[in-house]
Amino acid sequence: MELIVARNREDLVKARGGGEVALVPTMGALHEGHQALIRQARARADHVVVSIFVNPLQFSPNDDFSRYPRTFEADLDVCRAEGVDVVFHPAVEDMYAPDRQVGVTAGRMGSVVEGAARPGHFDGVLTVVLKLFNVVQPGLAVFGQKDAQQLALIRRMVADLDLPIEILDVPTVREPDGLALSSRNRFLSDDDRRVALALSRALRAGAAELTPSRIRAAAREVLDAAGPELDVDYLVLVDPATFAEVDGTYDGMAVLAVAARVGTTRLIDNVSVTLSRG
Ligand code: AMP
């Protein structure tokens, strides 16, 4: 089947096939992390829609909206190779009316950790994801664990707003040396890239420990050793469902998450750690 490119809602509605539809929302500049999501969608659904939309609502004025990589033709090649049925690539004006008023607010959970560093970011994410859900009407939507707080908030939105959509999450795809794949990695110089490795190394060091205080301390030590070129925004150990910090009484799976700036590029990463009080 030929890949269909839908550039507005009307085209998307015409192109959307029957049977179970899976949606993979992306901002493009596709890499193997996105491919892993697409493959899960392909394995589960009759019809796979990949959206490619750099969403201005989730960038603040200080963020990198205009610099965000846009590689549409290469993205189409990836989608063709992965057997995607439809790429939805709307213009900003097609997604957002100039007089729009109403959006989704992410609540308290949207203003902690990554949300504290990027005010309004998760409101923008949830608003565009809800709009994509409404336009595409998937039965299944696939997201990466790489953006763990985004994933938690999307699950929260599905529960709180009774959306009839199954959310599937996919483990983070990494380079052989541990660096999590990200569209922003292309901005890293060779030196930046070496410094950036401290993120995944710190998470691994933390995950090797057993108690919250030792996990945080082990990860912090690796981040500190990276020197001033690594400008750490946060390192937190949180409940994956709420993103509240965990303490020594916590039992179960927690997420160790980090954000840091390397050169002009801001990177995030996380790993799961299992805590048991015993
Ligand atoms: P983005 O295009 O960066 O907005 O990401 C689109 C989707 O791909 C989100 O659900 C991300 O969590 C997911 N994603 C991004 N990087 C990775 C990765 N390295 N491994 C797995 N999923 C990823």
Side-chain angles (χ1 to χ4, degrees):
M1 276 277 284
E2 229 0 49
L3 175 71
I4 299 174
V5 179
R7 290 183 185 265
N8 55 50
R9 283 160 229 252
E10 291 70 38
D11 287 355
L12 187 275
V13 170
K14 268 187 252 154
R16 195 185 48 212
E20 177 152 62
V21 176
L23 171 66
V24 182
T26 82
M27 297 205 299
L30 300 182
H31 51 65
E32 284 173 40
H34 299 112
Q35 280 172 263
L37 271 55
I38 293 170
R39 281 180 201 154
Q40 288 294 324
R42 186 70 282 166
R44 285 282 311 273
D46 305 313
H47 202 79
V48 175
V49 178
V50 172
S51 60
I52 298 181
F53 181 63
V54 185
N55 173 32
L57 240 57
Q58 70 190 71
F59 290 80
S60 78
N62 308 325
D63 283 344
D64 56 352
F65 175 72
S66 55
R67 177 172 102 124
Y68 197 83
R70 290 161 172 88
T71 61
F72 187 62
E73 293 305 321
D75 293 349
L76 291 184
D77 291 340
V78 170
C79 289
R80 266 186 215 106
E82 295 295 339
V84 170
D85 297 290
V86 179
V87 167
F88 181 41
H89 184 54
V92 171
E93 306 77 61
D94 197 68
M95 284 299 273
Y96 297 118
D99 58 346
R100 66 170 209 99
Q101 302 278 318
V102 177
V104 181
T105 55
R108 202 176 47 78
M109 195 176 146
S111 60
V112 298
V113 191
E114 185 70 5
R118 303 181 69 187
H121 169 69
F122 287 119
D123 295 356
V125 169
L126 294 186
T127 299
V128 79
V129 168
L130 182 60
K131 284 168 70 74
L132 291 167
F133 285 175
N134 286 334
V135 175
V136 177
Q137 298 184 17
L140 174 75
V142 189
F143 294 88
Q145 292 170 8
K146 161 83 170 26
D147 298 275
Q149 192 171 1
Q150 167 177 291
L151 174 65
L153 277 159
I154 285 163
R155 288 194 185 285
R156 196 68 253 168
M157 175 170 77
V158 164
D160 289 352
L161 301 183
D162 304 302
L163 306 180
I165 298 171
E166 182 191 345
I167 303 299
L168 187 69
D169 60 76
V170 175
T172 302
V173 177
R174 298 176 180 280
E175 301 279 7
D177 61 10
L179 183 70
L181 295 189
S182 163
S183 302
R184 292 183 172 95
N185 288 354
R186 70 192 64 214
F187 296 132
L188 300 173
S189 67
D190 290 349
D191 281 347
D192 290 344
R193 208 188 167 292
R194 266 191 293 280
V195 175
L197 276 184
L199 264 62
S200 54
R201 221 183 300 125
L203 296 176
R204 277 200 306 276
E209 299 292 336
L210 295 173
T211 64
S213 57
R214 291 179 68 124
I215 290 168
R216 290 188 179 97
R220 175 61 67 181
E221 197 179 320
V222 175
L223 295 176
D224 288 347
E229 282 78 45
L230 189 75
D231 180 10
V232 179
D233 213 342
Y234 59 76
L235 170 73
V236 293
L237 182 66
V238 294
D239 179 331
T242 62
F243 266 68
E245 291 265 6
V246 304
D247 59 22
T249 65
Y250 187 87
D251 219 359
M253 179 117 95
V255 164
L256 182 62
V258 63
R261 207 169 282 276
V262 186
T264 55
T265 306
R266 188 170 179 281
L267 300 173
I268 62 170
D269 198 358
N270 71 85
V271 291
S272 296
V273 267
T274 303
L275 296 172
S276 73
R277 269 176 298 167

